[in-house]
Amino acid sequence: MTTLTQFDVLAIRREFPILQQEVNGKPLAFLDSGASSQKPRQVIDCLEDYYKRYNANVHRGVYKLSEEATFAYERARGKVARFIGAASQREVIFTRNTTEALNLVAYSWGGANLQPGDRILLTIMEHHSNIVPWQQLAQRTGAKLDYLGIDGEGRLRLDELDQKLSERTKLVALTHQSNVLGTINPVRAIADRAHAVGAVVVVDGAQSVPHMPVDVQALGCDFLAFSGHKMCAPTGIGVLWGRRALLEAMPPFLGGGSMIKVVELEQSTYADLPARFEAGTPAIGEAIALGAACDYLSEIGMEAIHGHEVELLAYALERLSAVEGLTLFGPRSVEQRGAAVSFTLDGVHPHDVAAILDGENVAVRAGHHCTQPLHRQLDVPATTRASFYIYNTHEDVDRLAAGLEKARRMFA
Ligand code: PLP
């Protein structure tokens, strides 16, 4: 693995095979890591090595291959636990993605703990995967939903907390970093307030865990959900971290093989953590490769990654602010946000913006980014989003700005 004494973006780029290709003589400016990141050679090699050398089911076979696969799978769990500062690797549950992790909490914790009239506090900036499971839970249990609003710069209205948080609030679910506004939310302060009324705090870390140091103890939450595919790992693997006492008290989410102790005809007893929440054959190679992704990111250093992104973000905000007719959403201060930048361009539909950028081999995302309530609040049907990661450069930002100028001229 590359040893990086300082943040060397060109060395990092060389680790990503996909970034080596050109389309129509233009290199790829990949600005859609918020949707899914690219994968370094180290992670691709790790996945390939599993399938070529020791592919076997885990926790079952007594033969050597299965033991090797089991060892690697559980070692990956330990790497994830260390990556987020978990007290124990038993607190790390492998899921398919953030969405499944949030649904697990909603079904299992929510089903066991919510009563009619209880309240669930969300924020208006949530991704649909941190809204819909709670709506479904509210429909099943008779609980009610409340939403914390945002100010003109897309920051949470903390002044609403006193009014929206009460002893009826049993759960607060919020994103650590908005996938549209880039806003980094003050999770610790909100978690402390939520705990003071006895609520459990669920954090959607899909956009924070890949981009900055995240320590669950410092964050002060009770559950944290995130996806491997946004942090250099393959698709199909995600994580739910939860406090051990809470997880141990929760009923299983899915039933089946691997999650049981004894199965009788009428009933079963369940395995201890984490197996209790991992029914069926898991995504073995993907979990092992997530461990490799944690190693890869840790070696570069999450502080360094965040620093690189802040620098790119500052440059992007400066360049994009100079584009005539462009409206930027989210906080102006780089201290309050991460490097996902959403905007509209007067007179050009966001999908047309994305299509013109694609012609320049600049990949961005356009649409509502799975945040319809937020877009309704922003009073726009859609935005274009550029999201940055470890392998992006100032040149990528320049090409984005040039593509936007081109779109503006074409539609003028
Ligand atoms: N939450 C946020 C903030 C996201 O940005 C995303 C994905 O874009 C998700 C949740 C859902 O992630 P996944 O599709 O991997 O479950």
Side-chain angles (χ1 to χ4, degrees):
M1 192 177 278
T2 321
T3 305
L4 297 160
T5 44
Q6 60 187 36
F7 203 91
D8 183 347
V9 68
L10 296 181
I12 287 172
R13 285 180 71 81
R14 285 195 289 276
E15 311 276 30
F16 288 77
I18 210 166
L19 299 179
Q20 310 313 317
Q21 58 186 332
E22 296 193 340
V23 175
N24 297 331
K26 294 171 187 153
L28 172 64
F30 187 75
L31 301 181
D32 195 23
S33 299
S36 199
S37 77
Q38 296 303 342
K39 322 300 175 199
R41 186 178 45 76
Q42 290 82 345
V43 169
I44 298 168
D45 288 353
C46 172
L47 191 60
E48 193 182 335
D49 183 47
Y50 163 71
Y51 282 115
K52 278 187 171 164
R53 231 178 26 79
Y54 60 102
N55 169 53
N57 214 328
V58 288
H59 302 140
R60 286 155 208 223
V62 285
Y63 53 92
K64 197 167 172 319
L65 279 190
S66 175
E67 279 167 8
E68 193 174 343
T70 302
F71 177 76
Y73 180 74
E74 290 305 327
R75 191 177 53 182
R77 195 190 306 280
K79 291 178 182 184
V80 172
R82 282 190 294 284
F83 193 73
I84 57 168
S88 155
Q89 70 179 66
R90 286 176 175 274
E91 298 181 330
V92 171
I93 313 293
F94 284 130
T95 62
R96 273 192 303 145
N97 47 35
T98 305
T99 305
E100 188 177 273
L102 292 168
N103 274 275
L104 195 166
V105 182
Y107 271 87
S108 178
W109 188 90
N113 289 285
L114 286 197
Q115 308 288 333
D118 284 344
R119 306 202 76 100
I120 299 168
L121 180 59
L122 309 175
T123 88
I124 200 73
M125 68 170 75
E126 297 311 312
H127 187 281
H128 295 164
S129 68
N130 203 23
I131 295 178
V132 181
W134 309 116
Q135 290 175 341
Q136 293 173 324
L137 174 64
Q139 282 154 13
R140 285 195 303 274
T141 59
K144 296 268 176 288
L145 302 175
D146 295 301
Y147 286 88
L148 214 53
I150 52 172
D151 66 15
E153 282 195 35
R155 295 168 299 203
L156 284 181
R157 291 274 313 268
L158 298 180
D159 57 312
E160 293 180 353
L161 261 181
D162 276 342
Q163 179 212 337
K164 301 234 164 117
L165 203 56
S166 74
E167 63 287 352
R168 295 249 65 174
T169 311
K170 292 292 180 295
L171 185 137
V172 176
L174 80 163
T175 188
H176 193 183
Q177 181 182 312
S178 162
N179 61 319
V180 174
L181 304 162
T183 316
I184 297 171
N185 290 320
V187 170
R188 180 74 209 211
I190 295 172
D192 288 348
R193 302 268 296 269
H195 287 147
V197 299
V200 155
V201 178
V202 181
V203 171
D204 172 352
Q207 296 291 341
S208 61
V209 174
H211 298 281
M212 62 176 95
V214 171
D215 179 291
V216 288
Q217 315 304 339
L219 216 50
C221 58
D222 301 296
F223 294 100
L224 175 74
F226 55 99
S227 298
H229 69 92
K230 293 183 197 286
M231 52 185 288
C232 297
T235 51
I237 187 75
V239 173
L240 172 69
W241 167 83
R243 289 196 189 282
R244 188 168 178 166
L246 287 171
L247 287 172
E248 275 175 345
M250 280 159 54
F253 173 41
L254 300 172
S258 304
M259 51 75 73
I260 46 79
K261 273 187 183 143
V262 180
V263 178
E264 288 171 296
L265 289 185
E266 303 299 333
Q267 61 195 18
S268 303
T269 54
Y270 304 124
D272 295 331
L273 295 177
R276 170 200 296 239
F277 293 108
E278 292 182 7
T281 300
I284 302 162
E286 288 75 4
I288 296 168
L290 172 59
C294 289
D295 285 344
Y296 176 76
L297 294 172
S298 301
E299 188 153 330
I300 298 170
M302 293 309 293
E303 280 291 356
I305 290 171
H306 187 60
H308 171 69
E309 292 187 21
V310 168
E311 200 199 308
L312 271 185
L313 170 67
Y315 184 58
L317 292 179
E318 184 194 317
R319 288 299 313 267
L320 298 192
S321 303
V323 178
E324 210 181 302
L326 190 138
T327 305
L328 282 166
F329 298 96
R332 305 287 169 268
S333 154
V334 294
E335 270 93 57
Q336 293 177 334
R337 60 175 298 163
V341 182
S342 298
F343 53 86
T344 54
L345 190 56
D346 284 352
V348 195
H349 192 280
H351 283 113
D352 291 329
V353 173
I356 292 164
L357 289 170
D358 182 45
E360 303 300 314
N361 210 13
V362 176
V364 296
R365 184 169 172 188
H368 53 63
H369 317 299
C370 299
T371 57
Q372 287 179 8
L374 173 62
H375 276 75
R376 231 168 271 130
Q377 169 93 26
L378 299 174
D379 204 19
V380 287
T383 51
T384 308
R385 181 186 71 185
S387 51
F388 300 90
Y389 206 18
I390 39 177
Y391 34 69
N392 290 120
T393 60
H394 286 66
E395 195 194 331
D396 291 338
V397 177
D398 291 338
R399 289 178 56 205
L400 170 67
L404 291 170
E405 290 293 1
K406 183 174 179 183
R408 196 178 60 77
R409 282 195 307 275
M410 282 172 72
F411 281 79

